[in-house]
Amino acid sequence: MKAFRTLYIFPHPDDESFGPAPVIYRQTKRGEEVFLLTLTRGGATKVRFKYNYTIDEMGEVRVKEMEKVKQVLNLTGMDIWDMEDGSLAYMNPVDLENRVAEHIKKINPDIVVTYAVHGISGHHDHLAIHATIKRIFSESDRNIKFPAWKRLALFTFPKPENSEQDGAMAHVRTSPVNMIDCVVELNQEEKLKLREALYCYDTFVEVIESTKVIDHIGDKVYFEFFNEDFKPVLKDIADRL
Ligand SMILES: [Zn+2]
């Protein structure tokens, strides 16, 4: 029997570390297989101007940083594609869908994880990948082209109770609390792994610190499950499968 398998799909190197990393670590630690697919090398980030890197040079640096994340989280497999950073929302959506679907088919996961509909930052690549994967999942559900996987988990943050968000995270998009189906409470070791994964991105230290992302995540990671509804919320993304 194959091990329980989760595939995380994000557009850019570091998307996996800005939140989901400690959940990935929990899964690999308990012997599950976790694969990560990143569609671009993330070379177009404005951080590159600070270092005077070309898009290609910045992409190379981020790929190296991501290799360190692979070690920290003990990923079973990692693929980094070289689609154009910033282009996913503007390319032929059928081509994007076919390529991603092919990969999902090859990995054959039980769960796929990507961004919620708002893409957290609202980056168009994040929105495009959400729409793409949701469509593939819905097709697989009807068993037309793809082998079905069981759950589509969407990484998110909850809408804060008072609408004023603290300055550094004011740009973060959130999900209404009633949309959230799973809240993973992190233990001390997992919180340290979040920090360790983020700090693999040497070129992003300023972003990590100015956004106070570690404080914002705190000790909880939130997911919506597409087409599933759990109240009370589940405590783990693999529960009830
Ligand atoms: Zn991103």
Side-chain angles (χ1 to χ4, degrees):
M1 208 183 100
K2 83 172 171 70
F4 192 87
R5 194 172 283 176
T6 303
L7 170 60
Y8 287 76
I9 304 179
F10 293 112
H12 311 113
D14 86 12
D15 290 336
E16 80 296 332
S17 290
F18 276 79
V23 179
I24 296 174
Y25 175 73
R26 173 182 294 196
Q27 291 185 282
T28 58
K29 195 182 174 198
R30 69 184 176 209
E32 295 176 16
E33 294 183 346
V34 179
F35 292 80
L36 173 61
L37 168 64
T38 300
L39 277 77
T40 78
R41 293 154 66 96
T45 172
K46 59 181 186 292
V47 168
R48 76 187 174 90
F49 298 114
K50 184 177 153 194
Y51 298 93
N52 267 323
Y53 287 149
T54 63
I55 290 177
D56 280 349
E57 287 166 344
M58 187 73 223
E60 257 165 59
V61 169
R62 296 187 84 185
V63 166
K64 288 205 186 89
E65 292 170 338
M66 217 177 150
E67 292 290 343
K68 291 191 280 174
V69 174
K70 181 172 189 254
Q71 303 304 317
V72 166
L73 301 179
N74 197 20
L75 288 170
T76 316
M78 181 171 84
D79 292 273
I80 306 169
W81 289 356
D82 196 10
M83 287 180 163
E84 192 188 333
D85 184 9
S87 77
L88 303 188
Y90 309 104
M91 65 186 283
N92 181 328
V94 178
D95 291 345
L96 179 61
E97 181 180 324
N98 287 344
R99 280 200 63 184
V100 173
E102 188 88 359
H103 187 78
I104 294 172
K105 208 169 181 175
K106 192 176 90 191
I107 301 289
N108 190 18
D110 298 283
I111 304 179
V112 174
V113 184
T114 192
Y115 281 119
V117 66
H118 46 68
I120 308 284
S121 68
H123 192 302
H124 291 182
D125 285 349
H126 295 194
L127 308 188
I129 200 65
H130 166 86
T132 300
I133 294 173
K134 190 161 65 181
R135 221 194 94 88
I136 298 169
F137 183 68
S138 303
E139 287 249 15
S140 77
D141 214 27
R142 299 204 310 269
N143 227 339
I144 297 174
K145 283 197 273 184
F146 312 105
W149 75 88
K150 297 172 189 142
R151 174 168 289 161
L152 175 55
L154 304 168
F155 172 67
T156 191
F157 286 106
K159 192 172 167 43
E161 277 167 27
N162 52 358
S163 56
E164 294 298 307
Q165 290 226 45
D166 47 320
M169 294 299 279
H171 65 286
V172 167
R173 272 77 159 176
T174 56
S175 299
V177 172
N178 66 358
M179 290 297 293
I180 289 168
D181 298 293
C182 175
V183 182
V184 179
E185 293 202 25
L186 306 177
N187 62 34
Q188 202 52 38
E189 188 190 0
E190 291 160 353
K191 277 163 63 180
L192 287 171
K193 285 290 166 183
L194 167 66
R195 174 174 288 274
E196 213 183 313
L198 279 167
Y199 278 94
C200 289
Y201 293 99
D202 295 322
T203 53
F204 271 69
V205 169
E206 225 176 275
V207 178
I208 295 163
E209 291 177 357
S210 67
T211 56
K212 299 197 176 88
V213 58
I214 294 174
D215 293 342
H216 186 72
I217 294 166
D219 56 4
K220 291 189 184 72
V221 181
Y222 300 84
F223 299 94
E224 297 178 26
F225 294 157
F226 182 63
N227 270 353
E228 295 184 274
D229 186 23
F230 290 106
K231 302 287 174 293
V233 295
L234 303 187
K235 291 178 160 45
D236 190 281
I237 61 169
D239 279 355
R240 306 273 288 273
L241 277 183

